Short mmCIF file of all heavy atoms in Angstrom, two decimals:
data_model
loop_
_atom_site.label_atom_id
_atom_site.label_comp_id
_atom_site.label_asym_id
_atom_site.label_seq_id
_atom_site.Cartn_x
_atom_site.Cartn_y
_atom_site.Cartn_z
N MET A 1 161.05 100.79 134.96
CA MET A 1 160.37 102.02 134.59
C MET A 1 159.03 101.65 133.93
O MET A 1 158.98 100.83 133.04
CB MET A 1 161.25 102.80 133.64
CG MET A 1 160.79 104.16 133.38
SD MET A 1 162.05 104.99 132.38
CE MET A 1 161.86 106.59 132.98
N SER A 2 157.97 102.25 134.37
CA SER A 2 156.66 101.93 133.84
C SER A 2 156.36 102.76 132.59
O SER A 2 156.96 103.81 132.36
CB SER A 2 155.59 102.16 134.89
OG SER A 2 155.48 103.54 135.15
N ARG A 3 155.42 102.28 131.83
CA ARG A 3 155.03 102.96 130.60
C ARG A 3 154.12 104.15 130.86
O ARG A 3 153.93 105.00 130.01
CB ARG A 3 154.30 102.00 129.67
CG ARG A 3 155.18 100.98 129.06
CD ARG A 3 154.35 100.18 128.11
NE ARG A 3 155.20 99.37 127.28
CZ ARG A 3 154.76 98.63 126.30
NH1 ARG A 3 153.49 98.58 126.04
NH2 ARG A 3 155.59 97.92 125.57
N GLY A 4 153.49 104.18 131.97
CA GLY A 4 152.55 105.26 132.27
C GLY A 4 151.12 104.80 132.04
O GLY A 4 150.86 103.66 131.68
N ARG A 5 150.22 105.69 132.25
CA ARG A 5 148.80 105.37 132.12
C ARG A 5 148.42 105.21 130.65
O ARG A 5 148.82 105.99 129.79
CB ARG A 5 148.00 106.51 132.72
CG ARG A 5 146.55 106.21 132.84
CD ARG A 5 145.86 107.31 133.65
NE ARG A 5 144.49 107.36 133.23
CZ ARG A 5 143.96 108.30 132.46
NH1 ARG A 5 144.68 109.32 132.10
NH2 ARG A 5 142.71 108.24 132.09
N VAL A 6 147.65 104.17 130.36
CA VAL A 6 147.18 103.94 129.00
C VAL A 6 146.03 104.90 128.73
O VAL A 6 145.06 104.95 129.48
CB VAL A 6 146.71 102.47 128.82
CG1 VAL A 6 146.13 102.26 127.44
CG2 VAL A 6 147.85 101.53 129.09
N THR A 7 146.13 105.68 127.63
CA THR A 7 145.12 106.70 127.37
C THR A 7 144.06 106.24 126.39
O THR A 7 142.99 106.83 126.32
CB THR A 7 145.78 107.97 126.83
OG1 THR A 7 146.55 107.63 125.68
CG2 THR A 7 146.68 108.60 127.87
N PHE A 8 144.32 105.21 125.60
CA PHE A 8 143.29 104.70 124.71
C PHE A 8 143.55 103.21 124.49
O PHE A 8 144.63 102.71 124.75
CB PHE A 8 143.27 105.45 123.37
CG PHE A 8 144.12 104.82 122.31
CD1 PHE A 8 143.54 104.04 121.32
CD2 PHE A 8 145.49 104.96 122.31
CE1 PHE A 8 144.31 103.45 120.35
CE2 PHE A 8 146.27 104.37 121.35
CZ PHE A 8 145.68 103.61 120.36
N ARG A 9 142.54 102.53 124.05
CA ARG A 9 142.66 101.10 123.77
C ARG A 9 142.26 100.85 122.32
O ARG A 9 141.61 101.66 121.68
CB ARG A 9 141.75 100.31 124.71
CG ARG A 9 142.10 100.51 126.16
CD ARG A 9 141.30 99.58 127.03
NE ARG A 9 141.36 99.95 128.42
CZ ARG A 9 142.35 99.60 129.24
NH1 ARG A 9 143.33 98.88 128.82
NH2 ARG A 9 142.32 99.98 130.50
N GLN A 10 142.67 99.70 121.82
CA GLN A 10 142.41 99.37 120.43
C GLN A 10 140.91 99.36 120.14
O GLN A 10 140.48 99.79 119.07
CB GLN A 10 143.02 98.02 120.10
CG GLN A 10 142.86 97.64 118.64
CD GLN A 10 143.54 96.33 118.33
OE1 GLN A 10 144.20 95.74 119.17
NE2 GLN A 10 143.38 95.88 117.11
N HIS A 11 140.12 98.90 121.08
CA HIS A 11 138.68 98.85 120.82
C HIS A 11 138.07 100.25 120.72
O HIS A 11 137.04 100.44 120.09
CB HIS A 11 137.94 97.99 121.86
CG HIS A 11 137.85 98.59 123.22
ND1 HIS A 11 138.82 98.41 124.16
CD2 HIS A 11 136.90 99.36 123.79
CE1 HIS A 11 138.47 99.05 125.27
NE2 HIS A 11 137.32 99.63 125.07
N ASP A 12 138.71 101.26 121.33
CA ASP A 12 138.24 102.65 121.17
C ASP A 12 138.38 103.09 119.71
O ASP A 12 137.48 103.70 119.14
CB ASP A 12 139.02 103.60 122.07
CG ASP A 12 138.80 103.33 123.54
OD1 ASP A 12 137.71 102.83 123.90
OD2 ASP A 12 139.74 103.60 124.32
N LEU A 13 139.53 102.77 119.12
CA LEU A 13 139.77 103.12 117.72
C LEU A 13 138.83 102.34 116.81
O LEU A 13 138.25 102.90 115.88
CB LEU A 13 141.23 102.87 117.34
CG LEU A 13 141.60 103.17 115.89
CD1 LEU A 13 141.35 104.62 115.56
CD2 LEU A 13 143.06 102.81 115.65
N ALA A 14 138.67 101.05 117.09
CA ALA A 14 137.77 100.22 116.28
C ALA A 14 136.34 100.76 116.34
O ALA A 14 135.64 100.81 115.32
CB ALA A 14 137.81 98.78 116.75
N ARG A 15 135.92 101.19 117.50
CA ARG A 15 134.56 101.75 117.66
C ARG A 15 134.41 103.04 116.85
O ARG A 15 133.39 103.26 116.19
CB ARG A 15 134.29 102.03 119.14
CG ARG A 15 132.87 102.47 119.41
CD ARG A 15 132.63 102.70 120.88
NE ARG A 15 132.83 101.45 121.62
CZ ARG A 15 133.46 101.38 122.80
NH1 ARG A 15 133.94 102.46 123.37
NH2 ARG A 15 133.58 100.23 123.41
N ALA A 16 135.43 103.88 116.86
CA ALA A 16 135.38 105.13 116.10
C ALA A 16 135.34 104.85 114.60
O ALA A 16 134.60 105.50 113.86
CB ALA A 16 136.57 106.01 116.44
N LEU A 17 136.12 103.87 114.15
CA LEU A 17 136.14 103.54 112.72
C LEU A 17 134.82 102.90 112.28
O LEU A 17 134.34 103.17 111.19
CB LEU A 17 137.31 102.61 112.41
CG LEU A 17 138.69 103.26 112.53
CD1 LEU A 17 139.78 102.22 112.36
CD2 LEU A 17 138.85 104.39 111.53
N ARG A 18 134.22 102.09 113.14
CA ARG A 18 132.92 101.50 112.82
C ARG A 18 131.85 102.59 112.71
O ARG A 18 130.99 102.55 111.82
CB ARG A 18 132.51 100.48 113.87
CG ARG A 18 132.94 99.08 113.57
CD ARG A 18 132.21 98.06 114.42
NE ARG A 18 132.23 98.36 115.84
CZ ARG A 18 133.17 97.96 116.69
NH1 ARG A 18 134.18 97.24 116.26
NH2 ARG A 18 133.10 98.28 117.97
N ALA A 19 131.90 103.56 113.61
CA ALA A 19 130.93 104.66 113.57
C ALA A 19 131.09 105.47 112.29
O ALA A 19 130.10 105.88 111.67
CB ALA A 19 131.09 105.54 114.79
N ALA A 20 132.33 105.70 111.87
CA ALA A 20 132.57 106.45 110.63
C ALA A 20 132.06 105.66 109.43
O ALA A 20 131.44 106.23 108.52
CB ALA A 20 134.05 106.74 110.48
N ALA A 21 132.29 104.35 109.42
CA ALA A 21 131.81 103.52 108.32
C ALA A 21 130.28 103.51 108.28
O ALA A 21 129.68 103.54 107.21
CB ALA A 21 132.35 102.10 108.45
N LYS A 22 129.65 103.47 109.43
CA LYS A 22 128.19 103.49 109.49
C LYS A 22 127.63 104.80 108.95
O LYS A 22 126.57 104.84 108.35
CB LYS A 22 127.72 103.26 110.92
CG LYS A 22 126.24 103.06 111.05
CD LYS A 22 125.86 102.69 112.46
CE LYS A 22 124.37 102.45 112.55
NZ LYS A 22 123.98 102.10 113.92
N ALA A 23 128.38 105.88 109.15
CA ALA A 23 127.97 107.19 108.65
C ALA A 23 128.40 107.40 107.20
O ALA A 23 128.25 108.49 106.66
CB ALA A 23 128.56 108.29 109.52
N GLN A 24 128.96 106.36 106.58
CA GLN A 24 129.42 106.38 105.19
C GLN A 24 130.48 107.44 104.95
O GLN A 24 130.48 108.13 103.95
CB GLN A 24 128.24 106.56 104.25
CG GLN A 24 127.25 105.42 104.33
CD GLN A 24 126.06 105.62 103.42
OE1 GLN A 24 125.83 106.72 102.91
NE2 GLN A 24 125.31 104.57 103.23
N VAL A 25 131.40 107.56 105.90
CA VAL A 25 132.53 108.47 105.79
C VAL A 25 133.77 107.64 105.51
O VAL A 25 134.03 106.67 106.22
CB VAL A 25 132.71 109.29 107.08
CG1 VAL A 25 133.97 110.13 107.02
CG2 VAL A 25 131.50 110.15 107.35
N VAL A 26 134.53 108.01 104.50
CA VAL A 26 135.76 107.29 104.17
C VAL A 26 136.89 107.94 104.95
O VAL A 26 137.22 109.11 104.73
CB VAL A 26 136.04 107.34 102.65
CG1 VAL A 26 137.34 106.64 102.33
CG2 VAL A 26 134.88 106.72 101.90
N VAL A 27 137.49 107.20 105.86
CA VAL A 27 138.57 107.73 106.69
C VAL A 27 139.89 107.56 105.94
O VAL A 27 140.24 106.46 105.53
CB VAL A 27 138.62 107.00 108.05
CG1 VAL A 27 139.80 107.50 108.87
CG2 VAL A 27 137.32 107.19 108.80
N SER A 28 140.61 108.67 105.76
CA SER A 28 141.87 108.60 105.05
C SER A 28 143.06 108.57 106.00
O SER A 28 144.13 108.07 105.63
CB SER A 28 142.01 109.78 104.09
OG SER A 28 142.01 110.99 104.83
N ARG A 29 142.89 109.08 107.21
CA ARG A 29 144.00 109.12 108.16
C ARG A 29 143.45 109.23 109.57
O ARG A 29 142.40 109.81 109.80
CB ARG A 29 144.87 110.34 107.85
CG ARG A 29 146.16 110.37 108.62
CD ARG A 29 147.02 111.54 108.22
NE ARG A 29 146.65 112.67 109.05
CZ ARG A 29 146.76 113.94 108.68
NH1 ARG A 29 147.18 114.25 107.49
NH2 ARG A 29 146.43 114.91 109.50
N THR A 30 144.17 108.65 110.52
CA THR A 30 143.79 108.78 111.93
C THR A 30 144.99 109.30 112.71
O THR A 30 146.13 109.04 112.35
CB THR A 30 143.35 107.44 112.54
OG1 THR A 30 144.43 106.53 112.47
CG2 THR A 30 142.15 106.89 111.84
N GLU A 31 144.70 110.02 113.76
CA GLU A 31 145.74 110.48 114.68
C GLU A 31 145.27 110.21 116.10
O GLU A 31 144.09 110.37 116.40
CB GLU A 31 146.00 111.98 114.53
CG GLU A 31 146.77 112.36 113.30
CD GLU A 31 147.10 113.84 113.26
OE1 GLU A 31 146.85 114.56 114.26
OE2 GLU A 31 147.58 114.29 112.22
N ILE A 32 146.18 109.80 116.94
CA ILE A 32 145.88 109.58 118.35
C ILE A 32 146.84 110.47 119.13
O ILE A 32 148.06 110.32 119.05
CB ILE A 32 146.04 108.11 118.74
CG1 ILE A 32 145.12 107.26 117.87
CG2 ILE A 32 145.75 107.92 120.21
CD1 ILE A 32 145.37 105.80 117.95
N THR A 33 146.30 111.40 119.87
CA THR A 33 147.13 112.35 120.61
C THR A 33 147.60 111.73 121.92
O THR A 33 147.02 110.74 122.37
CB THR A 33 146.33 113.64 120.89
OG1 THR A 33 145.20 113.32 121.68
CG2 THR A 33 145.88 114.31 119.60
N PRO A 34 148.63 112.29 122.53
CA PRO A 34 149.13 111.73 123.80
C PRO A 34 148.09 111.70 124.91
O PRO A 34 148.16 110.86 125.80
CB PRO A 34 150.28 112.67 124.16
CG PRO A 34 150.73 113.24 122.88
CD PRO A 34 149.50 113.35 122.04
N ASP A 35 147.09 112.58 124.83
CA ASP A 35 146.05 112.57 125.86
C ASP A 35 144.93 111.57 125.56
O ASP A 35 143.97 111.47 126.30
CB ASP A 35 145.48 113.96 126.10
CG ASP A 35 144.75 114.53 124.89
OD1 ASP A 35 144.85 113.93 123.81
OD2 ASP A 35 144.10 115.56 125.04
N GLY A 36 145.05 110.80 124.46
CA GLY A 36 144.10 109.75 124.14
C GLY A 36 143.01 110.15 123.18
O GLY A 36 142.15 109.34 122.85
N ARG A 37 143.04 111.36 122.70
CA ARG A 37 142.03 111.81 121.75
C ARG A 37 142.25 111.14 120.40
O ARG A 37 143.38 111.05 119.92
CB ARG A 37 142.12 113.32 121.59
CG ARG A 37 140.85 113.99 121.31
CD ARG A 37 140.95 115.49 121.43
NE ARG A 37 142.31 115.98 121.43
CZ ARG A 37 142.71 117.08 120.82
NH1 ARG A 37 141.86 117.82 120.18
NH2 ARG A 37 143.97 117.46 120.88
N ILE A 38 141.19 110.66 119.77
CA ILE A 38 141.27 110.02 118.45
C ILE A 38 140.69 111.01 117.44
O ILE A 38 139.56 111.46 117.57
CB ILE A 38 140.47 108.71 118.42
CG1 ILE A 38 141.06 107.73 119.43
CG2 ILE A 38 140.48 108.10 117.03
CD1 ILE A 38 140.25 106.48 119.62
N ILE A 39 141.49 111.32 116.42
CA ILE A 39 141.07 112.27 115.38
C ILE A 39 141.02 111.51 114.07
O ILE A 39 142.01 110.90 113.66
CB ILE A 39 142.05 113.45 115.27
CG1 ILE A 39 142.19 114.14 116.62
CG2 ILE A 39 141.59 114.42 114.20
CD1 ILE A 39 143.31 115.15 116.67
N LEU A 40 139.87 111.53 113.41
CA LEU A 40 139.69 110.87 112.12
C LEU A 40 139.63 111.93 111.04
O LEU A 40 138.86 112.88 111.12
CB LEU A 40 138.40 110.06 112.11
CG LEU A 40 138.24 108.98 113.17
CD1 LEU A 40 136.87 108.34 113.07
CD2 LEU A 40 139.33 107.95 113.06
N PHE A 41 140.46 111.78 110.03
CA PHE A 41 140.44 112.68 108.88
C PHE A 41 139.76 111.94 107.74
O PHE A 41 140.12 110.81 107.42
CB PHE A 41 141.86 113.06 108.46
CG PHE A 41 142.56 113.90 109.49
CD1 PHE A 41 143.34 113.31 110.48
CD2 PHE A 41 142.44 115.28 109.48
CE1 PHE A 41 143.99 114.07 111.42
CE2 PHE A 41 143.08 116.04 110.44
CZ PHE A 41 143.85 115.44 111.41
N HIS A 42 138.78 112.56 107.13
CA HIS A 42 138.05 111.90 106.06
C HIS A 42 138.52 112.38 104.70
O HIS A 42 139.08 113.46 104.57
CB HIS A 42 136.53 112.10 106.21
CG HIS A 42 136.11 113.53 106.19
ND1 HIS A 42 135.86 114.20 105.02
CD2 HIS A 42 135.88 114.40 107.18
CE1 HIS A 42 135.50 115.43 105.30
NE2 HIS A 42 135.51 115.59 106.61
N ALA A 43 138.32 111.50 103.72
CA ALA A 43 138.66 111.83 102.35
C ALA A 43 137.70 112.90 101.85
O ALA A 43 136.61 113.10 102.42
CB ALA A 43 138.58 110.59 101.47
N HIS A 44 138.08 113.57 100.81
CA HIS A 44 137.20 114.59 100.25
C HIS A 44 135.91 113.94 99.77
O HIS A 44 135.92 112.85 99.21
CB HIS A 44 137.87 115.31 99.08
CG HIS A 44 139.04 116.12 99.52
ND1 HIS A 44 138.92 117.30 100.20
CD2 HIS A 44 140.37 115.89 99.42
CE1 HIS A 44 140.11 117.77 100.47
NE2 HIS A 44 141.01 116.93 100.01
N GLU A 45 134.84 114.62 100.00
CA GLU A 45 133.54 114.09 99.64
C GLU A 45 133.33 114.20 98.13
O GLU A 45 133.82 115.13 97.49
CB GLU A 45 132.45 114.88 100.35
CG GLU A 45 132.67 114.92 101.84
CD GLU A 45 131.46 114.43 102.59
OE1 GLU A 45 130.42 114.26 101.96
OE2 GLU A 45 131.59 114.23 103.79
N LEU A 46 132.62 113.26 97.59
CA LEU A 46 132.26 113.31 96.18
C LEU A 46 131.18 114.36 95.99
O LEU A 46 130.32 114.54 96.86
CB LEU A 46 131.75 111.95 95.72
CG LEU A 46 132.75 110.81 95.80
CD1 LEU A 46 132.07 109.50 95.44
CD2 LEU A 46 133.92 111.06 94.88
N PRO A 47 131.20 115.06 94.88
CA PRO A 47 130.15 116.05 94.66
C PRO A 47 128.80 115.37 94.55
O PRO A 47 128.68 114.26 94.05
CB PRO A 47 130.55 116.72 93.35
CG PRO A 47 131.51 115.80 92.70
CD PRO A 47 132.14 114.99 93.79
N ALA A 48 127.79 116.05 95.04
CA ALA A 48 126.44 115.51 94.99
C ALA A 48 125.97 115.44 93.54
O ALA A 48 126.42 116.21 92.68
CB ALA A 48 125.51 116.39 95.80
N ALA A 49 125.09 114.54 93.25
CA ALA A 49 124.54 114.41 91.90
C ALA A 49 123.80 115.70 91.54
O ALA A 49 123.13 116.30 92.36
CB ALA A 49 123.60 113.22 91.84
N ALA A 50 123.95 116.09 90.30
CA ALA A 50 123.33 117.33 89.84
C ALA A 50 121.81 117.15 89.77
O ALA A 50 121.32 116.14 89.27
CB ALA A 50 123.88 117.73 88.48
N THR A 51 121.11 118.12 90.27
CA THR A 51 119.66 118.10 90.20
C THR A 51 119.24 118.78 88.90
O THR A 51 120.04 119.51 88.28
CB THR A 51 119.05 118.84 91.39
OG1 THR A 51 119.45 120.21 91.32
CG2 THR A 51 119.50 118.23 92.71
N PRO A 52 118.01 118.59 88.47
CA PRO A 52 117.55 119.29 87.26
C PRO A 52 117.69 120.81 87.39
O PRO A 52 118.02 121.49 86.41
CB PRO A 52 116.08 118.88 87.14
CG PRO A 52 116.03 117.54 87.82
CD PRO A 52 117.03 117.64 88.94
N PHE A 53 117.50 121.34 88.59
CA PHE A 53 117.65 122.78 88.79
C PHE A 53 119.10 123.21 88.56
O PHE A 53 119.36 124.23 87.92
CB PHE A 53 117.21 123.18 90.20
CG PHE A 53 117.46 124.63 90.51
CD1 PHE A 53 116.70 125.62 89.91
CD2 PHE A 53 118.47 125.00 91.39
CE1 PHE A 53 116.94 126.96 90.19
CE2 PHE A 53 118.71 126.34 91.66
CZ PHE A 53 117.94 127.32 91.06
N ASP A 54 120.06 122.41 89.07
CA ASP A 54 121.47 122.74 88.87
C ASP A 54 121.84 122.72 87.39
O ASP A 54 122.59 123.58 86.91
CB ASP A 54 122.37 121.76 89.63
CG ASP A 54 122.22 121.90 91.13
OD1 ASP A 54 121.91 123.01 91.61
OD2 ASP A 54 122.43 120.88 91.83
N GLU A 55 121.31 121.75 86.65
CA GLU A 55 121.58 121.68 85.21
C GLU A 55 120.98 122.88 84.49
O GLU A 55 121.62 123.46 83.61
CB GLU A 55 121.02 120.37 84.65
CG GLU A 55 121.75 119.14 85.17
CD GLU A 55 121.05 117.85 84.79
OE1 GLU A 55 120.00 117.89 84.09
OE2 GLU A 55 121.57 116.78 85.20
N TRP A 56 119.77 123.26 84.86
CA TRP A 56 119.13 124.42 84.25
C TRP A 56 119.93 125.69 84.53
O TRP A 56 120.18 126.49 83.63
CB TRP A 56 117.71 124.57 84.80
CG TRP A 56 117.04 125.86 84.38
CD1 TRP A 56 116.42 126.12 83.20
CD2 TRP A 56 116.98 127.06 85.15
NE1 TRP A 56 115.95 127.40 83.17
CE2 TRP A 56 116.29 128.01 84.37
CE3 TRP A 56 117.42 127.43 86.41
CZ2 TRP A 56 116.05 129.30 84.81
CZ3 TRP A 56 117.18 128.71 86.85
CH2 TRP A 56 116.50 129.63 86.06
N ARG A 57 120.36 125.84 85.78
CA ARG A 57 121.11 127.03 86.15
C ARG A 57 122.45 127.08 85.43
O ARG A 57 122.89 128.14 84.98
CB ARG A 57 121.32 127.07 87.66
CG ARG A 57 121.80 128.41 88.13
CD ARG A 57 121.76 128.53 89.61
NE ARG A 57 122.86 127.72 90.14
CZ ARG A 57 123.02 127.39 91.41
NH1 ARG A 57 122.13 127.79 92.29
NH2 ARG A 57 124.03 126.70 91.82
N ALA A 58 123.10 125.93 85.26
CA ALA A 58 124.39 125.89 84.54
C ALA A 58 124.20 126.29 83.08
O ALA A 58 125.03 127.03 82.53
CB ALA A 58 125.00 124.50 84.65
N ARG A 59 123.12 125.81 82.45
CA ARG A 59 122.86 126.20 81.04
C ARG A 59 122.54 127.67 80.94
O ARG A 59 122.98 128.35 80.03
CB ARG A 59 121.69 125.38 80.48
CG ARG A 59 122.02 123.95 80.14
CD ARG A 59 120.93 123.31 79.31
NE ARG A 59 119.60 123.50 79.84
CZ ARG A 59 118.95 122.65 80.64
NH1 ARG A 59 119.52 121.54 81.01
NH2 ARG A 59 117.73 122.92 81.07
N ARG A 60 121.78 128.19 81.89
CA ARG A 60 121.38 129.59 81.86
C ARG A 60 122.57 130.51 82.10
O ARG A 60 122.70 131.55 81.45
CB ARG A 60 120.33 129.83 82.94
CG ARG A 60 119.74 131.21 82.90
CD ARG A 60 118.52 131.28 83.79
NE ARG A 60 117.85 132.51 83.64
CZ ARG A 60 118.01 133.56 84.45
NH1 ARG A 60 118.84 133.49 85.45
NH2 ARG A 60 117.34 134.67 84.24
N ASP A 61 123.46 130.14 83.01
CA ASP A 61 124.61 130.99 83.33
C ASP A 61 125.73 130.84 82.30
O ASP A 61 126.68 131.61 82.32
CB ASP A 61 125.15 130.64 84.72
CG ASP A 61 124.17 131.02 85.81
OD1 ASP A 61 123.28 131.86 85.56
OD2 ASP A 61 124.31 130.50 86.93
N ALA A 62 125.64 129.89 81.40
CA ALA A 62 126.68 129.66 80.41
C ALA A 62 126.67 130.74 79.33
O ALA A 62 127.63 130.91 78.60
CB ALA A 62 126.51 128.28 79.76
N ARG A 63 125.58 131.46 79.22
CA ARG A 63 125.48 132.47 78.17
C ARG A 63 126.34 133.65 78.45
O ARG A 63 126.66 134.11 79.42
CB ARG A 63 124.04 132.93 78.03
CG ARG A 63 123.15 131.83 77.56
CD ARG A 63 121.74 132.34 77.45
NE ARG A 63 120.86 131.18 77.45
CZ ARG A 63 119.59 131.27 77.40
NH1 ARG A 63 119.00 132.44 77.34
NH2 ARG A 63 118.84 130.21 77.39
#
């Protein structure tokens, strides 16, 4: 009995992970569907650094 058609290869996953790393995305989980689709789930993003405008608005709205 044969295994069937191979839908993805290890280098496909490695290429996707390298692309995510290049985009500075932290991958927390991967899924590979039976049809060969690779889904990368990323960790929650860190909040952006506060700008002087954000600090001013926070002080102003605190009243």
